[in-house]
Amino acid sequence: QVQLVESGGGLVQAGGSLRLSCAASGRTFSNYVMAWFCQAPGKERSFVAAIRWRGGSTYYADSVKGRFTISRDNAKNTVYLQMNSLKPEDTAVYYCATDQGSWYLSASRQDYEYWGQGTQVTVSS
């Protein structure tokens, strides 16, 4: 089992920045891919970004390319999401997830076995 705890969310004005953190504990040595998803009220959970632990390859949703950066700190078992140039439409609960079954950088929710509790990001106009 893996436990994921997100932090760093909050209220920010449009154009501002936030950095989300996802701290992993437990059976972390089998984490092939970690990803960020977001879910706005009344919407389905959507893919944001993913990173492969081995090699650090990344994959981003088109809506966040050039604005968000996913990174990892192997020593701390932590994944980050640096969010710049935030827009009101970025407002959502952001969830961290990990895939322990494949190295594929998947954008599909069903490929991720473990999820954090989420952290709220609110971007005001």
Side-chain angles (χ1 to χ4, degrees):
Q1 295 290 325
V2 174
Q3 295 77 47
L4 305 174
V5 179
E6 303 98 331
S7 62
L11 176 64
V12 65
Q13 293 184 343
S17 298
L18 287 172
R19 188 179 75 158
L20 307 184
S21 298
C22 174
S25 61
R27 199 177 179 86
T28 59
F29 57 86
S30 295
N31 290 349
Y32 291 168
V33 174
M34 297 192 74
W36 289 95
F37 287 75
C38 65
Q39 186 167 24
K43 305 293 184 180
E44 293 189 347
R45 195 167 298 186
S46 300
F47 173 77
V48 176
I51 187 166
R52 185 179 293 141
W53 278 106
R54 189 179 182 88
S57 297
T58 58
Y59 175 51
Y60 296 93
D62 288 340
S63 61
V64 306
K65 287 181 179 178
R67 299 191 298 125
F68 293 6
T69 302
I70 188 171
S71 62
R72 73 195 193 283
D73 186 328
N74 293 318
K76 295 182 178 180
N77 293 122
T78 299
V79 175
Y80 304 95
L81 185 68
Q82 179 66 47
M83 305 187 296
N84 299 325
S85 302
L86 282 162
K87 305 174 181 179
E89 51 262 45
D90 295 321
T91 295
V93 177
Y94 283 75
Y95 297 90
C96 179
T98 185
D99 178 4
Q100 295 195 330
S102 174
W103 290 105
Y104 179 67
L105 292 170
S106 176
S108 177
R109 299 186 303 274
Q110 63 186 354
D111 288 331
Y112 295 89
E113 296 94 353
Y114 302 101
W115 295 82
Q117 84 289 346
T119 185
Q120 177 71 48
V121 172
T122 302
V123 184
S124 65
S125 301

